[in-house]
């Protein structure tokens, strides 16, 4: 039986984990839900959805009931283009400002509250809650099968890494009992299997100036592909690339054009670590890149985000002790179709003050899982604590409060998601992080002046290999 052993002590306002030690405080990461709890899961008429979300709305009526009703594809949508807003008629219910944010403090994270204290002109428009995260039938079928049979596996090859087995396509633990199980759900959340897109990034100075770095990215997320269900005995979530195949090429500015990053991750970190390579036009060499992991600076972020923050969280997970702190109702970015519009320019999205244009941001009240990562003693990372807020309907990362190693609130990460209704999956459209100590922001996903994500992209496995980098590295 897998055992995850930890002891914690209070230091200021932050929990710091000691190294794994033998103690009676050991926690069984494979605590299972009871048969009665599993019986609460279902697509229709049950207390919980297949994702483990509470089907009912809240008592105040500000969160509605979840229904298995996908967003109808708008009549004016053309495949291959940006997605029109299906909720364009919605108006803000109210606006939270620096003058009134304390009235809503119970629905705001510490990082959000710090934004109002740091920037007196900051505001959040709160819209009606739309529980639009509805996935394809194969996702829910898999989740119901995973429940009760999936297991956390603590890697013996790479001590401390959290993996899993006996799950496919969807969340492994719809009824999570602890932090490692919740972490696995984040790793195993449904993601659009194929995508070719622009993931342009702009680190913004405190004076509001920026330069857009253009990144062409091709991705394959095999885990949630219906072709890799239980019927496919050849698919292994623990294999390199079983979780993510990622190919990134910088095309601008000219001084960085031609740089390539390639990564292959398992979705279950049991026997395989991240494989990564890089190509520099100046050196004309493809090199192993073991540094592209953990708190290595995210590509072209000017040090304003770490590599493992893309998508909210990615990659090896062994440097933190993971604690599930229950659920909360929080105002989170959601249904961000305004930010997805092709009529926008980057200058519309980034204000002269160097922040996200809050007139384009949509916040809704949703129930979120609170997953806390506390840096293990004896390891290193920029963050001492990372508090992640995960959507109950999708297990997608919505918000993150990042604390430095002095226990000081440092950064707020926002993931502005939409449901790609023609695909039956949720995904991000814009991601941004505020560094409240430096007064700066970095923003990702600035594709509005380019082409919409192409979900028709397909490639053979050898596309995501060093040989492909050598073939294409012509500069």
């Amino acid at each position: 039986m897998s055992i995850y052993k930890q002891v914690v002590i209070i230091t200021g306002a932050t929990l710091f984990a000691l190294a794994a030690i033998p103690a009676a405080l050991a926690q069984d990461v494979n605590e299972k839900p009871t048969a009665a709890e599993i019986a609460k899961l279902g697509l229709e008429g049950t207390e919980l959805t297949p994702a483990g979300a509470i089907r009912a709305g809240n008592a105040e009526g500000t969160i509605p009931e979840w229904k298995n009703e996908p967003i109808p594809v708008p009549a004016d949508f053309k495949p291959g283009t940006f997605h029109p807003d299906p909720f364009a008629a919605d108006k803000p219910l109210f606006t939270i400002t620096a003058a009134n944010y304390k009235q809503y403090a119970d629905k705001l994270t510490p990082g959000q509250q710090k934004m109002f204290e740091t920037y007196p002109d900051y505001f959040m428009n709160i819209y009606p809650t739309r529980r639009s995260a509805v996935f394809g039938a194969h996702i829910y079928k898999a989740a119901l099968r995973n429940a009760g049979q999936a297991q956390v596996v603590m890697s013996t090859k790479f001590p401390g890494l959290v993996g899993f087995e006996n799950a496919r396509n969807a969340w492994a633990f719809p009824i999570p009992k602890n932090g490692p199980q919740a972490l696995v759900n984040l790793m195993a959340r449904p993601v659009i299997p194929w995508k070719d897109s622009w993931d342009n990034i702009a680190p913004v100075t405190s004076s509001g100036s920026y330069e857009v770095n253009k990144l062409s990215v091709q991705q394959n997320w095999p885990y949630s592909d219906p072709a890799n269900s239980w019927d496919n005995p050849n698919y292994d979530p623990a294999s390199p690339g079983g979780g993510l195949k990622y190919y990134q090429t910088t095309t601008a500015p000219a001084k960085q054009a031609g740089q390539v990053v390639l990564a292959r991750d398992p979705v279950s970190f049991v026997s395989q670590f991240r494989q990564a390579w890089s190509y520099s036009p100046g050196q004309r060499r493809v090199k192993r890149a073991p540094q592209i992991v953990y708190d290595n600076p995210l590509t072209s972020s000017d040090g304003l985000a770490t590599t493992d923050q893309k998508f909210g969280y990615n990659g090896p997970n062994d440097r933190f002790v993971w604690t599930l702190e229950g659920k909360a109702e929080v105002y989170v970015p959601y249904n961000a179709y305004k930010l997805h519009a092709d009529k926008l320019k980057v200058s519309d999205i980034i204000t002269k003050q160097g922040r996200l244009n809050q007139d384009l941001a949509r916040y809704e009240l949703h129930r979120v899982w609170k997953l806390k990562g506390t840096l293990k003693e004896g390891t290193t990372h920029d963050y001492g604590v990372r508090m992640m807020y995960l959507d109950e309907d999708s297990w997608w990362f919505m918000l993150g409060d990042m604390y430095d190693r002095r226990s000081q609130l440092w950064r707020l990460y926002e993931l502005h998601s939409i449901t790609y209704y023609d695909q039956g999956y949720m995904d991000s459209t814009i991601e941004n992080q505020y560094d409240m100590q430096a007064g700066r922001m970095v923003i990702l996903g600035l594709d509005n002046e380019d082409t919409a994500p192409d979900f028709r992209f397909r490639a053979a496995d050898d596309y995501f290999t060093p040989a492909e980098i050598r073939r294409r590295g012509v500069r």
Side-chain angles (χ1 to χ4, degrees):
M1 179 176 291
S2 298
I3 299 292
Y4 186 77
K5 299 175 181 178
Q6 69 182 67
V7 170
V8 295
I9 59 176
I10 299 294
T11 304
T14 307
L15 291 175
F16 285 94
L18 296 175
I21 60 175
L25 297 176
Q27 178 191 30
D28 178 12
V29 294
N30 279 316
E31 180 183 354
K32 293 186 178 297
T34 66
E37 287 175 319
I38 292 176
K40 295 179 180 180
L41 298 169
L43 256 185
E44 306 290 346
T46 50
E47 180 179 332
L48 303 178
T49 74
I54 299 170
R55 182 185 305 276
N58 63 2
E60 297 78 14
T62 49
I63 296 176
E65 176 187 0
W66 181 87
K67 297 180 180 180
N68 184 29
E69 297 176 356
I71 298 173
V73 178
D76 58 344
F77 172 67
K78 296 180 180 179
T81 65
F82 289 86
H83 293 63
D85 186 354
F87 311 123
D90 287 357
K91 303 298 182 185
L93 299 172
F94 56 92
T95 300
I96 304 176
T97 68
N100 67 6
Y101 81 91
K102 291 185 178 180
Q103 299 176 31
Y104 305 96
D106 62 328
K107 301 291 193 297
L108 298 170
T109 74
Q112 290 174 316
Q113 294 179 55
K114 185 71 172 178
M115 284 293 292
F116 290 107
E117 297 164 4
T118 305
Y119 304 106
D121 59 343
Y122 184 69
F123 65 93
M124 295 168 57
N125 287 324
I126 309 302
Y127 284 79
T129 298
R130 303 278 191 169
R131 295 179 71 176
S132 54
V134 178
F135 297 91
H138 77 284
I139 297 295
Y140 296 128
K141 179 180 179 182
L144 293 173
R145 179 169 176 177
N146 295 343
Q149 73 173 34
Q151 288 188 301
V152 169
V153 177
M154 303 302 294
S155 177
T156 55
K157 184 176 181 181
F158 303 102
L161 280 178
V162 180
F164 67 96
E165 62 186 8
N166 297 331
R168 290 288 187 277
N169 284 155
W171 317 280
F173 302 99
I175 302 177
K177 294 296 184 178
N178 50 57
Q181 291 184 9
L183 176 68
V184 166
N185 283 345
L186 172 61
M187 295 156 56
R189 73 197 183 282
V191 184
I192 299 174
W194 292 94
K195 182 166 72 169
D196 182 4
S197 63
W198 291 97
D199 197 11
N200 304 335
I201 180 172
V204 187
T205 69
S206 57
S207 64
S209 63
Y210 58 88
E211 180 178 48
V212 176
N213 298 267
K214 299 192 66 172
L215 306 179
S216 172
V217 176
Q218 294 75 47
Q219 302 174 55
N220 177 213
W221 297 78
Y223 179 76
S224 52
D225 192 324
N228 293 322
S229 70
W230 290 99
D231 298 329
N232 182 358
N234 297 317
Y235 172 68
D236 179 8
S239 65
L244 170 63
K245 303 182 186 79
Y246 182 88
Y247 194 111
Q248 174 197 93
T249 307
T250 302
T251 66
K255 61 185 177 183
Q256 298 178 31
Q259 295 179 1
V260 176
V261 170
L262 169 66
R264 295 168 60 97
D265 279 3
V267 67
S268 172
F269 283 91
V270 174
S271 56
Q272 179 63 52
F273 203 73
R274 167 171 288 171
Q275 297 177 337
W277 297 263
S278 65
Y279 172 79
S280 171
Q283 297 180 346
R284 286 185 168 271
R285 290 179 56 198
V286 178
K287 299 188 297 183
R288 284 270 188 179
Q291 76 279 8
I292 301 178
V293 72
Y294 299 125
D295 57 354
N296 185 70
L298 184 67
T299 300
S300 300
S301 69
D302 199 21
L304 292 170
T306 60
T307 291
D308 62 7
Q309 285 190 276
K310 176 61 183 162
F311 316 117
Y313 187 83
N314 73 87
N317 51 54
D318 55 317
R319 294 197 176 181
F320 293 84
V321 173
W322 301 99
T323 308
L324 184 60
E325 297 197 341
K327 279 187 180 179
E329 294 183 2
V330 177
Y331 294 117
V332 296
Y334 221 94
N335 291 311
Y337 293 95
K338 284 186 178 181
L339 282 167
H340 182 68
D342 59 351
K343 295 180 180 178
L344 295 177
K345 297 184 179 302
V346 173
S347 58
D348 298 322
I349 297 172
I350 303 175
T351 67
K352 293 180 179 179
Q353 292 76 31
R355 300 195 297 277
L356 180 70
N357 184 348
Q358 291 295 98
D359 286 321
L360 299 174
R362 175 178 176 134
Y363 298 88
E364 301 178 4
L365 185 65
H366 285 262
R367 285 183 291 247
V368 294
W369 293 97
K370 297 169 62 177
L371 178 61
K372 185 175 187 176
T374 305
L375 185 63
K376 293 179 181 176
E377 188 172 288
T379 63
T380 61
H381 199 284
D382 285 352
Y383 301 130
V385 169
R386 55 204 313 166
M387 180 64 78
M388 302 192 290
Y389 302 88
L390 313 178
D391 174 38
E392 71 167 340
D393 291 328
S394 65
W395 286 93
W396 267 82
F397 178 107
M398 298 283 105
L399 286 172
D401 289 344
M402 307 297 161
Y403 295 78
D404 63 23
R405 293 193 297 272
R406 302 168 301 164
S407 308
Q408 299 298 308
L409 190 55
W410 182 11
R411 293 170 169 172
L412 172 69
Y413 199 99
E414 296 185 318
L415 189 146
H416 300 264
S417 64
I418 68 171
T419 295
Y420 289 86
Y421 35 71
D422 59 321
Q423 301 296 312
Y425 290 91
M426 176 182 277
D427 206 339
S428 64
T429 183
I430 287 285
E431 300 177 36
N432 64 293
Q433 176 155 267
Y434 293 103
D435 185 325
M436 291 173 282
Q437 295 178 9
R440 299 186 62 187
M441 178 186 74
V442 63
I443 185 166
L444 302 78
L446 295 167
D447 60 359
N448 308 72
E449 296 183 48
D450 292 287
T451 53
D454 182 2
F455 304 118
R456 298 165 296 183
F457 166 75
R458 298 291 186 275
D461 270 354
D462 61 6
Y463 182 91
F464 299 95
T465 62
E468 180 69 8
I469 303 178
R470 297 186 186 98
R471 187 184 72 80
R472 300 177 67 191
V474 295
R475 183 185 166 202

